[in-house]
Amino acid sequence: EYTKEKKVGEGTYAVVYLGTKQSTGRKIAIKEIKTSEFKDGLDMSAIREVKYLQEIQHVNVIELVDIFMAYDNLNLVLEFLPTDLEVIIKDKNILFTPADIKSWMLMTLRGVYHCHRNFIMHRDLKPNNLLLSPDGQIKVADFGLARAVPSPHESLTSNVVTRWYRAPELLFGANHYTSAIDIWSVGIIFAELMLRIPYLPGQNDLEQMDVTFRALGTPTDRDWPEVSTFSLYNKLQIYPPPSRDELRKRFIAASENALNFMCNMLTMNPVKRWTAAQCLESEYFKEIPPPSDPSSIK
Amino acid sequence: YRHSSQYRFWSFTPEQLEQKRIDTNAQAVVSVEERLSAFRDENNADLTEEEVKTLLEKAVPVTMEEEVKLVNFYAKKVQGIAQHMNLPTEVVATSLTFFRRFYLENSVMDIDPKTIVHTTIFLACKSENYFISVDSFAKKTKSVREAILKHEFKLLESLKFSLLNHHPYRPLHGFFLDIQNLLTGKVDIKYMGQIYENCKKRITEALLTDAIYFYTPPQITLAALLLEDEALTLKYLETKFKPKEEEAETETEVDEKKKNKKVEDKDNSPKEDKPESSINYDVLLSLILACKEKII
Amino acid sequence: DLSKRYTLAESLYSDPFIKDLQNRKEYIASGFRTDFVYDRVLTEAFM
């Protein structure tokens, strides 16, 4: 039923091919999970991809078309998505407008909201995991680090999310975080879409904290109760939060509502950080320009 | 829930479930008969009269009913081993669910349940983010890594790659809260705590029955609650789902509601809009009573 | 889901297990939210 025509990528645990679904002629991507390398049987990333993509059907989340075994390899058949936001941000020949950015943010947040209301945290949101379909739809992809919201007393590893998109509670090593970590990543992606360069590119985990707090201010117990109890807190350089003016200068193209939108996603204290629903209902999406029609974006 | 793989792939009517078991057993019988006759043909010359007679009498495939008994016997073992390993309640439940589903798709005549017990627990640990390396798992279960990994793929495939399970434990926590909300001042918290623990045990036992294929997790939870305290559960269900006009509201209840309302307003939590149409009280009650019978 | 079949009434819940977690420093610092916990289990109850 499926062909593998061209190898388009190779990761730690999978090789990705382009192919066709014979019965319909539909272009598809096949993620072939390497299984020989792993001493503990099926790799955790593969198990997570299978587990969560099986449950989620949403226009802004990548579709798992089929799964099959072949020659002792597990193959995930996914919808074909030719490009991603990282490619678009980096390619300076591609011009896009605030209305385009608004459209991408709307679609991303709809996909993230759908995961969160199914109590699934993605835990690796970044531009190259936001793929684009031929008709311009953003699709949240790569659920290799996803997990269901745990039972309240469970401890979670803080070593998740690609560093530049990692929320402060994770940088501090928190083990009882919530889906708020995904919203932080979306906030950083928004900043990067406006700047067209990575907003907080730390070279290592420690520097990531410094870069983050230098740009957005070091949190204190006043705005984030008990933040000083994190063991890493004492080694911190204390920076003041940026003034509104400084933010305006940094994000010249952003309207007041756009700045509010970003600041609420990048609120240090995860308890106060907006949820996906609050983001979707924000003034930013109600003011002009309206979000572009995805299929019209070049 | 209707979008979940649990509903789409693993919910059946009793008739569908029985048919599935019959089909799985029948397929295995065919392959066993083929292997037997091939064996007889190959060894025709060497077999003594006695051996041919024994083959005919003893080497007969198991029936579907016998399979179900054997699978249930081993399902209890899976539960026991997982509990003995001190795995979290949800992981034990997932192990058990994986094991039982596997034998809806496979016959014990094809894969001996003994060889799949550890694999289901090992995969459940991975799937529920309770990762244990295969070597330390082998040590804990006095097994060997090859045996544990041997059928992992087969298991995943037989599960139709559906790993996310909704167990009745979280709904129990949910109803524990909602009962407090609806029956404010009428339930003693300490008593509720006792009910909670007893229901957890009943749910763990219910996972061994076919109720998990016929009913949704919350329905199983409500059946367990009904078994624990019928009066309280019926009171809650009436208050929650019985259309208002039928219910003769006593004076106190009206005051209660006013008090609740004030509290809720203070809470500025969203208004409780009762989609009367979506849950039919009588249908729900009959479902839960039938589920209770199944569990018993 | 516009018509949730429950009302989150945190002030009416006596849940010693959650109340205990809610007061632990590492939970507060991590961003632990009781409304998220209650919403989760109530959603599972009414799904």
Side-chain angles (χ1 to χ4, degrees):
Chain A
E1 170 70 309
Y2 301 106
T3 61
K4 290 175 180 170
E5 287 145 21
K6 186 177 144 206
K7 183 171 168 180
V8 290
E10 178 141 12
T12 42
Y13 79 99
V15 181
V16 181
Y17 300 89
L18 283 199
T20 308
K21 182 178 168 87
Q22 304 283 64
S23 57
T24 59
R26 178 183 185 186
K27 287 171 80 82
I28 40 105
I30 297 189
K31 204 169 194 178
E32 184 186 82
I33 312 287
K34 298 179 206 164
T35 51
S36 44
E37 277 94 297
F38 295 99
K39 70 176 190 53
D40 289 311
L42 262 167
D43 180 63
M44 281 299 284
S45 301
I47 286 183
R48 288 186 175 124
E49 284 251 63
V50 168
K51 178 173 180 180
Y52 299 112
L53 286 180
Q54 274 282 47
E55 308 300 323
I56 296 178
Q57 299 96 28
H58 190 276
V59 64
N60 296 120
V61 177
I62 189 168
E63 178 192 353
L64 177 60
V65 175
D66 200 348
I67 309 182
F68 62 89
M69 301 285 194
Y71 321 113
D72 246 5
N73 275 337
L74 180 63
N75 292 268
L76 307 187
V77 182
L78 299 156
E79 64 177 309
F80 167 67
L81 300 165
T83 186
D84 63 57
L85 273 192
E86 182 182 41
V87 169
I88 290 175
I89 290 170
K90 282 183 172 168
D91 183 345
K92 300 306 187 223
N93 299 321
I94 300 176
L95 299 182
F96 50 82
T97 68
D100 298 341
I101 292 177
K102 189 172 288 191
S103 186
W104 288 330
M105 292 308 291
L106 183 56
M107 292 187 277
T108 300
L109 282 162
R110 282 179 177 153
V112 169
Y113 169 67
H114 190 71
C115 296
H116 289 179
R117 78 169 177 169
N118 281 285
F119 305 103
I120 294 167
M121 296 186 270
H122 183 279
R123 303 200 303 181
D124 197 14
L125 292 174
K126 54 184 174 178
N128 71 347
N129 280 341
L130 297 177
L131 309 185
L132 278 135
S133 67
D135 60 350
Q137 285 293 334
I138 284 269
K139 309 267 183 179
V140 176
D142 195 342
F143 281 71
L145 265 177
R147 74 155 287 162
V149 168
S151 299
H153 59 288
E154 263 184 82
S155 219
L156 300 167
T157 172
S158 57
N159 188 23
V160 287
V161 188
T162 301
R163 183 184 306 125
W164 296 352
Y165 307 89
R166 198 176 296 163
E169 60 268 33
L170 296 174
L171 295 173
F172 278 124
N175 299 117
H176 303 285
Y177 53 84
T178 67
S179 48
I181 63 163
D182 285 336
I183 300 302
W184 177 278
S185 305
V186 175
I188 299 294
I189 293 166
F190 181 49
E192 188 166 332
L193 280 167
M194 290 193 284
L195 299 170
R196 296 205 68 162
I197 53 165
Y199 180 38
L200 303 175
Q203 296 316 308
N204 57 58
D205 291 0
L206 262 186
E207 203 213 4
Q208 186 62 39
M209 289 181 98
D210 193 62
V211 166
T212 302
F213 298 144
R214 192 202 313 255
L216 294 166
T218 306
T220 63
D221 278 341
R222 193 165 24 80
D223 53 69
W224 180 352
E226 307 302 349
V227 70
S228 61
T229 59
F230 283 119
S231 55
L232 291 171
Y233 189 79
N234 307 319
K235 305 181 185 73
L236 284 183
Q237 178 79 18
I238 303 297
Y239 297 104
S243 69
R244 187 69 178 193
D245 252 3
E246 281 166 321
L247 280 173
R248 278 198 199 95
K249 286 198 186 73
R250 191 83 177 79
F251 297 94
I252 297 171
S255 69
E256 286 307 297
N257 282 328
L259 278 183
N260 289 341
F261 176 65
M262 185 186 81
C263 293
N264 279 293
M265 289 193 281
L266 300 183
T267 297
M268 284 292 164
N269 181 352
V271 170
K272 293 178 193 152
R273 200 175 299 151
W274 271 4
T275 62
Q278 286 170 299
C279 293
L280 285 165
E281 291 168 339
S282 69
E283 286 310 310
Y284 167 64
F285 288 117
K286 295 172 185 160
E287 68 174 5
I288 54 165
S292 308
D293 168 359
S295 56
S296 73
I297 299 176
K298 302 268 174 311
Chain B
Y1 183 63
R2 286 177 185 272
H3 286 89
S4 70
S5 59
Q6 179 164 328
Y7 177 77
R8 287 181 289 130
F9 302 145
W10 303 104
S11 293
F12 307 102
T13 62
E15 299 70 28
Q16 287 166 339
L17 185 67
E18 180 166 35
Q19 193 52 52
K20 195 167 193 47
R21 283 174 169 148
I22 290 170
D23 297 346
T24 301
N25 175 269
Q27 269 162 25
V29 165
V30 165
S31 73
V32 164
E33 300 288 15
E34 278 162 7
R35 291 206 300 269
L36 270 173
S37 62
F39 175 79
R40 274 198 294 272
D41 299 349
E42 271 156 40
N43 303 282
N44 205 0
D46 326 3
L47 286 175
T48 65
E49 193 62 30
E50 184 58 24
E51 282 167 336
V52 171
K53 192 161 149 293
T54 309
L55 263 179
L56 285 174
E57 276 166 20
K58 295 284 179 197
V60 291
V62 291
T63 63
M64 182 272 273
E65 290 74 11
E66 289 168 326
E67 285 216 43
V68 171
K69 282 202 189 81
L70 189 63
V71 169
N72 287 345
F73 171 75
Y74 274 98
K76 269 180 125 34
K77 278 191 173 300
V78 167
Q79 192 176 54
I81 293 168
Q83 285 167 338
H84 183 70
M85 290 173 70
N86 283 321
L87 298 177
T89 308
E90 296 274 332
V91 179
V92 174
T94 295
S95 311
L96 181 56
T97 305
F98 283 176
F99 181 83
R100 298 189 66 213
R101 285 177 186 173
F102 181 81
Y103 281 106
L104 290 182
E105 300 296 315
N106 299 281
S107 163
V108 295
M109 291 180 275
D110 290 330
I111 296 198
D112 181 340
K114 244 197 307 291
T115 65
I116 202 90
V117 163
H118 291 136
T119 310
T120 48
I121 301 173
F122 179 67
L123 182 62
C125 288
K126 284 206 267 190
S127 172
E128 297 287 349
N129 283 290
Y130 197 83
F131 181 69
I132 303 175
S133 77
V134 69
D135 292 327
S136 51
F137 190 92
K139 208 178 294 169
K140 278 178 196 271
T141 54
K142 299 183 185 55
S143 172
V144 291
R145 49 183 283 120
E146 290 69 26
I148 293 166
L149 295 178
K150 182 175 175 223
H151 294 304
E152 192 182 35
F153 260 55
K154 174 77 181 157
L155 172 59
L156 184 66
E157 198 174 26
S158 301
L159 290 173
K160 304 176 199 276
F161 307 99
S162 55
L163 298 172
L164 196 146
N165 290 320
H166 295 275
H167 296 305
Y169 299 106
R170 282 204 182 95
L172 176 62
H173 192 162
F175 286 122
F176 173 72
L177 299 172
D178 204 46
I179 287 171
Q180 294 180 54
N181 177 11
L182 261 74
L183 304 182
T184 317
K186 294 196 187 91
V187 285
D188 161 54
I189 284 309
K190 241 171 112 40
Y191 174 68
M192 281 299 294
Q194 193 47 53
I195 290 272
Y196 184 89
E197 287 312 320
N198 297 348
C199 276
K200 267 185 88 171
K201 291 190 188 78
R202 285 188 186 280
I203 287 168
T204 302
E205 286 155 14
L207 295 177
L208 288 160
T209 73
D210 286 345
I212 61 171
Y213 300 121
F214 305 150
Y215 301 97
T216 65
Q219 288 162 355
I220 293 172
T221 307
L222 288 170
L225 274 165
L226 209 59
L227 283 165
E228 262 322 295
D229 185 327
E230 181 156 322
L232 171 72
T233 311
L234 289 178
K235 180 74 194 136
Y236 166 66
L237 291 174
E238 278 167 24
T239 313
K240 181 86 183 174
F241 295 113
K242 199 161 192 173
K244 279 293 154 279
E245 55 281 357
E246 281 171 41
E247 194 188 349
E249 280 196 1
T250 58
E251 256 328 285
T252 46
E253 269 161 349
V254 172
D255 300 344
E256 208 67 359
K257 261 183 206 16
K258 282 206 192 84
K259 193 156 70 55
N260 275 356
K261 221 158 159 25
K262 265 205 294 313
V263 167
E264 273 170 8
D265 290 346
K266 200 153 70 30
D267 242 12
N268 65 50
S269 51
K271 293 288 151 293
E272 169 113 15
D273 42 45
K274 299 254 173 95
E276 304 305 339
S277 57
S278 66
I279 295 264
N280 175 305
Y281 172 76
D282 299 318
V283 170
L284 177 65
L285 190 57
S286 63
L287 264 176
I288 295 167
L289 289 168
C291 178
K292 183 186 89 169
E293 289 316 310
K294 189 72 202 167
I295 292 175
I296 289 172
Chain C
D1 303 333
L2 295 178
S3 61
K4 290 199 173 208
R5 292 184 181 128
Y6 61 85
T7 303
L8 207 53
E10 283 209 53
S11 60
L12 294 178
Y13 301 147
S14 158
D15 189 329
F17 172 59
I18 302 298
K19 294 281 191 252
D20 162 52
L21 298 182
Q22 173 182 18
N23 298 320
R24 292 191 198 172
K25 291 186 186 310
E26 75 270 24
Y27 280 78
I28 298 168
S30 296
F32 180 77
R33 284 178 55 163
T34 52
D35 58 327
F36 279 12
V37 174
Y38 295 145
D39 191 42
R40 170 73 183 294
V41 295
L42 281 159
T43 301
E44 292 268 351
F46 292 103
M47 63 181 177

